[in-house]
Structures are given as C-alpha cells and as structure tokens.
Amino acid sequence: MDTLGGAEFAPTSTYLSTSTCGLLPRRSVEAVRRLAEEIAAGWAGGSGSFEATEAARASFGRIVGVGAERVAIGGSVAVHVGLIAASLPAGAEVLAPEGEFSSVVTPFVARGDLKVRYVPLERIAEAVGPVTALVALSAVQSADGRVADLAAVRGAARTHGARVLLDASQAAGWLPLEAGEYDYTVTAAFKYLLCPRGASFLTVTEDAQRSMAPAHAGWLAAEDLSRGTYGPVEEFARSARRYDEPPAFLAYHAAEHSLALVEQVGVDRIHAHDTALAARFRRGLTELGHAPVPGESAIVAVPGLGYREPELARAGIVVAARAGNMRASFHLYNSEADVDRALDVLSG
C-alpha cells in the first residue's frame, strides 16, 4: 500500500506518531515561510490574512459536515472547553470517561461548582441519567486509540435531555464525522488535520449558542467588524464567529493549505488507508506474541510496551509512550513498509 499525499511529505524517519503531532505538508510549510518573510520585510499588514482564516474555517466545516457559520476558530481545545464549562449552571453534572484527556475535563473541574462524574468508556452511554447536563468525551481516546460508541452516546443523551461535547482531536482527518450531530465539537488541528499548533476549531449548534456567552470576546466577535474596533462590541456576530479567538496567523496560513489537502485526498479514502495499515500492524503484533488493544482504530496501542519507545527511536521509528502503552498511529503519509519496519525492530 503506497502513501497518500504524494510529494507533499518526505519524512526522514519512520513516523508513526500522528496522534502526537501530524506532519506538515510542503504547501503549508511554504505558506508559513512566505508570511514570515513578508512580516520580516514589513509587507504584511496586520501580520496575516483574514482571508486565509476564513478559508480554513470553511474547509474545516466541509470536512466535518457543517457550514462555516457554525465554526469558531481558536488556538486550543482547553479554551474552547472553558467557554462551554462557563455556560453550565452551578451544580450541573458532567459525565466523562475515566482517563479522558485532561483538556476535555479540567475546565469543568476548575469551575469548582460542577459535579464531574467518571465511568469506563464502554459504560458511558448507560451511565447518562436524568440529572446529566453534559456528556464530554473524545471520539477516539488519546491513550489507547479506542473509538467511542458515539451513536449510543447520542441516543442516551437525547433520551435524558443532555448535551454532548465531542473532542475530535484524535479523529478529525481520518474518521468520518458529522459535527452537526453534537451540541459542541472541539478539535486540535495539529494532529490528523496536518496543521501547526495554534489552529483549533469549535462547532456549536444554534440551540447551544443560546446559552453560551462569548466570554473572551474582542473586536473580532462583532457582527460588523468595521464598527467593532473601539469601545465595547455593540452587536455580536450572529454566527459562531462570536466565539472566535484572535487567529494565530502563521498557524492559519498553514491550516488553509493543510485542510485543503485533507479535502483533496478525502476523509473516506484516508480512513480506509489508515485503518488498513493499523490492522496490518495489529496482526503483526499478535504474531509476535503481543496483545494490542482490539478495534478498528487508526491508532494502535499495546499495554505495557511503552518502555520500548526509546529503542524504536534509536532505530529511527517514532512512536509514543502513553499511560504505559506503546502507541503507534498511522496516517496518509505512511505505507506498509513503515508497518513492517516497526514490526521488524519489535521482533528483535
């Protein structure tokens, strides 16, 4: 199986750690270089282009199946989740999986007046109850690559009138998703969406927007940007743009091109590619006597094998050690040769 993306990628390692950070396409590197040189030369008014930001917003929306008016841009998942946490009434119950990524749960805990309850991932749908205000979970778990039963979670939330916050950071770009099926989604784009750190996205349903204030609003949150520069904003944007953070232009100039590449290749095609490589790796690991976490995720984790990460690194193979697991994650720039090379080292 050949790589996808062609000449856009030329890693000098066997890179199996997209769940940590995705590789930047050449077109995105060039966009950053171009803007940086313009800023250095004094030609970039305002240090970047809002057109690039809007192109990235629209592209992300197409990837996850919502209109650009439902997408807010920012710089981190934690800030997006903080907005959602601030919208909940005191005493509200937030239900989350045990071992969930810190940025998804800490803003709720930091409130100090919410009830945050944790259950095993496989039990989260059945744990939703009449007092649950919000279910907060990742589509794909960072520590071990398990994919949540999202249909069951959505069904349970509807039954009990709870909202759902989905972190798509480990999913968007390889796992087909419809963001409109969730009250909120948050996505760090520096993984499978191939963007630099500093680009992240929040989607919010129209109903959820009614109870979420633009708590960090600045002039970019104004409906009419020409009138929002000085003094308080008089009218907030009628779209999710009211929740925007000021864009990190270097990140968003790259994001415009990275997201366009994901669209060009296609998430369905990337999904088939990534999961086929992961399945090949799982089979090989099993033949070597290891017991990888089962499933059909693009992320493969092997409990207790994290200690071999330094050995693999010395051999030029980049994986991650997470919660005691060796975690390998596959994406469009990987091939069967990458899988076989990692298995060869692990067999030694």
Side-chain angles (χ1 to χ4, degrees):
M1 179 181 293
D2 294 331
T3 63
L4 305 176
E8 289 287 347
F9 303 98
T12 58
S13 66
T14 300
Y15 191 78
L16 306 179
S17 199
T18 299
S19 281
T20 303
C21 182
L23 301 183
L24 289 179
R26 291 185 185 277
R27 64 179 71 178
S28 303
V29 173
E30 179 54 35
V32 172
R33 180 183 296 114
R34 195 162 49 241
L35 177 58
E37 289 176 348
E38 289 175 1
I39 295 170
W43 289 105
S47 75
S49 163
F50 285 107
E51 287 77 12
T53 302
E54 292 309 310
R57 188 197 309 271
S59 187
F60 176 80
R62 289 190 294 270
I63 289 169
V64 299
V66 297
E69 72 281 356
R70 289 273 304 282
V71 179
I73 61 100
S76 76
V77 159
V79 173
H80 296 317
V81 177
L83 275 178
I84 298 164
S87 74
L88 296 177
E93 179 183 272
V94 178
L95 179 66
E98 294 174 349
E100 181 56 80
F101 194 77
S102 177
S103 296
V104 181
V105 293
T106 302
F108 300 108
V109 175
R111 269 275 305 258
D113 60 354
L114 301 175
K115 179 183 178 182
V116 184
R117 183 163 62 97
Y118 306 97
V119 297
L121 178 66
E122 61 273 14
R123 288 182 44 218
I124 193 159
E126 67 186 64
V128 181
V131 300
T132 305
L134 180 74
V135 186
L137 78 163
S138 294
V140 180
Q141 288 293 298
S142 171
D144 57 19
R146 287 177 297 159
V147 180
D149 186 344
L150 298 177
V153 171
R154 292 194 305 270
R158 281 195 300 271
T159 296
H160 294 286
R163 285 181 169 157
V164 179
L165 160 61
L166 187 74
D167 181 359
S169 299
Q170 297 286 2
W174 75 266
L175 184 67
L177 290 171
E178 292 292 333
E181 296 180 337
Y182 307 91
D183 300 278
Y184 319 93
T185 72
V186 293
T187 304
F190 66 89
K191 299 177 187 291
Y192 293 88
L193 292 173
L194 311 173
C195 301
R197 280 184 178 270
S200 66
F201 298 93
L202 164 70
T203 71
V204 193
T205 63
E206 291 183 3
D207 181 64
Q209 288 182 35
R210 296 188 182 98
S211 61
M212 191 167 79
H216 54 54
W219 75 277
L220 293 173
E223 174 64 22
D224 182 354
L225 294 180
S226 68
R227 299 177 59 191
T229 308
Y230 301 106
V233 170
E234 295 178 359
E235 180 187 8
F236 289 118
R238 292 186 285 272
S239 68
R241 184 168 57 77
R242 75 180 73 173
Y243 305 115
D244 277 10
E245 296 175 61
F249 280 126
L250 286 167
Y252 275 92
H253 274 239
E256 173 188 9
H257 297 280
S258 293
L259 296 170
L261 176 61
V262 172
E263 284 197 86
Q264 176 186 329
V265 178
V267 172
D268 288 341
R269 187 179 174 202
I270 294 171
H271 176 266
H273 177 88
D274 293 5
T275 55
L277 293 177
R280 182 183 182 92
F281 193 50
R282 283 191 191 88
R283 289 193 299 270
L285 288 166
T286 302
E287 291 169 3
L288 292 175
H290 301 298
V293 174
E296 298 179 352
S297 176
I299 303 168
V300 181
V302 187
L305 209 62
Y307 74 94
R308 299 199 65 177
E309 183 270 334
E311 174 191 353
L312 289 160
R314 288 192 294 272
I317 300 168
V318 181
V319 298
R322 293 291 185 272
N325 302 319
M326 183 198 74
R327 187 186 71 185
S329 40
F330 299 89
H331 205 23
L332 74 171
Y333 34 66
N334 294 125
S335 67
E336 290 181 349
D338 294 336
V339 175
D340 296 343
R341 174 155 171 70
L343 290 171
D344 184 59
V345 173
L346 288 168
S347 68

